[in-house]
Amino acid sequence: MDDTTDILFIAPPFSYGDLESIGPKCPPLGIAFIAAFIEQKGYKTKILDAFALDYSIEQTVQEINKKNPKVILVGSMTASHKAALEIMERTKKNNPEIIIICGGPHVTNLPESTILKPYVDYLVINEGEITTLELLDMIFKKNAVEKKDIKGIAYKENGSMKLTEKRPFIVKLDDLPLPAYHLLPMNHYKAYGWLDEGRRFTTMITSRGCPFKCSFCISSKNFMHWWRSRSAEKVFEEILLLYNKYGIRHIYFQDDEFLVDHNRIKKLADMILSHKLDLIWECLSRVNHIDEDLVKDMARAGCKSVLYGIETGYEEGFKKINKPITLEMVENAVKLTQKYNIMVKATFIIGFPWESAKEIKQTITFAKKLDADITFINTLNPYPGSYVYQEIVDNNLFVGIGDNWEHHVSHGTTPVIRTKYLSEKDLQYWSGRAYLSVYMRPKYVYRKLRQVRNFTDFKRNVSSGISLMELAVKRLFLSQNN
């Protein structure tokens, strides 16, 4: 038994449901940043990434018992929150003396429902590095501070939640240590199925927040619409670490908005080129954040894929979700990106509260016209803390969810909401129909076949295509038989 761990970070088990075979496995970088920060301050730290290791809840709890930490910190996203709660409850039952902390976007936006559980001792609200350090210093009696004076936490007092003052955000992200990759199972991560070339893969986060105010997004709201970035030099330092120490040759930049600062990206591209790195990479962006010079530099430096969050296929939809783009801007961005042989992944959302079949048909029609390389048309998942979440609550549009958050998976088959005009069965039907409409077009099938370069390409595209078609058929079947 290992009794030398001060704090064990837990990334709970998680599933992509029907798209498990092509879903990525990405490292829990939020946890890895905090772990690096407190390790730097002298704490003996470990990370248990149950998702990457394919651990069940039972295996996760057993591993916690083996490692025998004094404190565990469980990272909770909405989709993994049910698993996180069960892990914390069973861990506390096994060892009533262990201190249990929970952090992440779910508890940041719905703190009361978690902190009032008898097995949860503290919540870390929002950005976690300094808050976690101060909380651990109190727990391990390294200072005389009282919990009420630690900014950014929640705890119980006389059966009620106590929420302390908000923690100011870290201004200079370059001052943070690089994520604790040495504590992660780096050989267990894999890319999305349609761009998995068998290279060693990981993700990076080079900025925090988003300067925009889309109604369905919690990240921009949690970070007060403030975008902060690490410098190109600091980002490249991390790339070299991953490249040289871990053999990484494929990076997915998971920033909510990677291309805000064009000069930063161009400088980074120049560094990749000057060092002749055999590297491919992907990122996310808005369609109004690119121009030809930038895309050209990105392509030369190994960019193979950009994901654009488009969301609706009608102009009024952009206004309703507070996204200041147009259909013309979307079309121009996709054509420009594809011109430089960068794969375009386009995401759409159906099921906004105001939507009827008319709006959903418009979105499907536009998605077909856009002809992205990969198209996702997902049913709305209103995450706690987003503006649209409150709209769903106010209009009583949730469908029997309660604390059952595991259906909050982007590509799941079970809608958790209805609209003012459509039932959850209707949304399942339209989601299935959308995928079949987009992917069964002869033009699309022919284009994908022409892009096949070798047998690996063929196998990857067939496997991904079959998974998407199975999902579409399942949604149609469930919409008729539930």
Side-chain angles (χ1 to χ4, degrees):
M1 181 177 288
D2 183 358
D3 59 358
T4 63
T5 305
D6 291 330
I7 179 165
L8 177 64
F9 290 85
I10 311 293
F14 170 76
S15 171
Y16 289 103
D18 295 287
L19 291 182
E20 188 70 22
S21 63
I22 58 173
K25 282 194 183 298
C26 303
L29 291 180
I31 282 174
F33 270 109
I34 301 173
F37 188 78
I38 67 165
E39 188 179 57
Q40 193 181 63
K41 304 299 181 181
Y43 284 98
K44 296 172 182 175
T45 304
K46 293 181 179 176
I47 297 174
L48 175 57
D49 188 349
F51 171 48
L53 296 172
D54 292 317
Y55 280 8
S56 65
I57 290 175
E58 176 66 30
Q59 289 173 304
T60 304
V61 173
Q62 288 177 359
E63 196 65 24
I64 293 171
N65 292 338
K66 287 180 188 176
K67 295 187 183 303
N68 191 30
K70 299 176 178 69
V71 177
I72 65 168
L73 193 154
V74 182
S76 178
M77 300 182 298
T78 297
S80 63
H81 189 63
K82 188 181 180 186
L85 290 175
E86 187 172 345
I87 289 167
M88 291 187 288
E89 182 176 22
R90 293 176 62 175
T91 299
K92 192 69 133 179
K93 185 177 180 180
N94 292 339
N95 179 6
E97 301 302 314
I98 197 168
I99 302 296
I100 295 182
I101 305 170
C102 189
H106 187 88
V107 300
T108 289
N109 293 292
L110 283 180
E112 191 166 17
S113 63
T114 301
I115 194 56
L116 294 183
K117 307 289 187 188
Y119 44 84
V120 180
D121 296 296
Y122 301 98
L123 303 182
V124 171
I125 305 299
N126 227 328
E127 203 164 63
E129 285 86 357
I130 298 173
T131 302
T132 301
L133 176 64
E134 291 185 6
L135 183 55
L136 290 175
D137 283 350
M138 183 202 74
I139 291 169
F140 286 91
K141 297 182 169 50
K142 292 189 177 183
N143 61 32
V145 71
E146 295 185 44
K147 56 189 174 185
K148 66 180 178 63
D149 296 320
I150 299 175
K151 295 177 182 178
I153 67 168
Y155 58 91
K156 288 183 285 286
E157 189 172 280
N158 299 322
S160 298
M161 177 180 74
K162 291 292 183 181
L163 200 60
T164 64
E165 184 181 340
K166 285 184 178 181
R167 166 81 54 186
F169 295 125
I170 297 167
V171 177
K172 295 181 180 179
L173 297 183
D174 276 7
D175 291 344
L176 294 174
L178 300 182
Y181 291 110
H182 62 286
L183 300 179
L184 294 170
M186 292 298 289
N187 60 331
H188 283 262
Y189 301 114
K190 67 184 180 87
Y192 282 94
W194 41 83
L195 198 58
D196 186 356
E197 298 186 358
R199 291 166 168 246
R200 290 291 295 273
F201 169 84
T202 192
T203 56
M204 285 179 58
I205 296 176
T206 74
S207 63
R208 294 183 181 180
C210 175
F212 303 101
K213 300 180 180 180
C214 297
S215 67
F216 55 87
C217 179
I218 59 170
S219 179
S220 62
K221 187 178 179 186
N222 284 347
F223 288 113
M224 306 297 290
H225 315 297
W226 183 27
W227 183 81
R228 296 156 289 149
S229 71
R230 295 155 64 203
S231 67
E233 290 78 9
K234 192 71 174 181
V235 173
F236 191 68
E237 178 187 340
E238 185 173 338
I239 289 174
L240 285 181
L241 170 72
L242 292 167
Y243 192 91
N244 294 323
K245 184 174 181 178
Y246 299 102
I248 297 298
R249 297 296 184 268
H250 184 172
I251 294 173
Y252 181 21
F253 293 104
Q254 280 188 309
D255 306 50
D256 293 311
E257 184 48 71
F258 185 62
L259 305 181
V260 173
D261 183 346
H262 286 199
N263 289 332
R264 186 179 79 116
I265 303 305
K266 289 181 176 182
K267 187 182 292 186
L268 186 60
D270 287 342
M271 292 177 183
I272 292 171
L273 287 165
S274 66
H275 282 73
K276 297 182 171 61
L277 300 187
D278 175 24
L279 187 70
I280 64 172
W281 54 275
E282 309 174 60
C283 67
L284 298 83
S285 182
R286 293 168 70 98
V287 297
N288 55 334
H289 271 172
I290 67 161
D291 59 37
E292 187 150 11
D293 284 344
L294 179 66
V295 174
K296 188 185 300 183
D297 284 346
M298 289 165 57
R300 288 172 53 239
C303 181
K304 296 297 182 184
S305 168
V306 177
L307 185 148
Y308 292 119
I310 297 161
E311 322 321 348
T312 77
Y314 52 100
E315 300 286 3
E316 187 62 26
F318 294 135
K319 296 175 185 175
K320 285 180 176 289
I321 64 174
N322 199 30
K323 190 158 193 164
I325 61 175
T326 66
L327 298 178
E328 182 181 6
M329 291 165 66
V330 172
E331 291 184 80
N332 290 339
V334 169
K335 288 175 183 175
L336 177 58
T337 308
Q338 290 176 331
K339 175 182 175 181
Y340 287 92
N341 295 315
I342 296 175
M343 176 189 291
V344 172
K345 294 181 285 189
T347 61
F348 293 89
I349 298 172
I350 63 172
F352 287 108
W354 60 84
E355 287 194 327
S356 66
K358 174 188 173 184
E359 286 79 17
I360 292 176
K361 286 179 183 178
Q362 289 176 313
T363 293
I364 295 172
T365 299
F366 182 68
K368 290 160 63 176
K369 178 184 179 185
L370 193 61
D371 202 27
D373 298 280
I374 301 291
T375 302
F376 299 111
I377 303 179
N378 304 316
T379 306
L380 174 68
N381 276 323
Y383 288 100
S386 65
Y387 297 105
V388 79
Y389 176 87
Q390 194 57 49
E391 189 175 353
I392 295 288
V393 170
D394 291 345
N395 287 279
N396 194 30
L397 297 178
F398 270 117
V399 181
I401 182 171
D403 277 340
N404 189 19
W405 298 104
E406 78 269 22
H407 290 312
H408 276 263
V409 182
S410 296
H411 315 302
T413 58
T414 309
V416 297
I417 49 94
R418 57 188 174 88
T419 78
K420 294 176 182 178
Y421 307 101
L422 300 170
S423 70
E424 67 273 24
K425 282 188 179 182
D426 294 330
L427 292 176
Q428 279 186 316
Y429 166 78
W430 281 110
S431 179
R433 180 169 164 180
Y435 274 104
L436 291 176
S437 297
V438 170
Y439 286 108
M440 294 305 289
R441 293 172 296 132
K443 174 185 175 184
Y444 179 80
V445 173
Y446 176 68
R447 177 159 64 91
K448 295 305 287 184
L449 288 173
R450 284 190 61 193
Q451 291 173 346
V452 169
R453 297 167 298 172
N454 50 48
F455 181 69
T456 301
D457 259 5
F458 177 77
K459 187 167 65 172
R460 182 171 63 240
N461 278 281
V462 168
S463 174
S464 300
I466 289 173
S467 295
L468 287 171
M469 291 306 98
E470 286 177 345
L471 176 60
V473 171
K474 182 174 182 178
R475 289 178 174 178
L476 287 171
F477 176 79
L478 289 174
S479 71
Q480 301 300 315
N481 292 278
N482 275 350

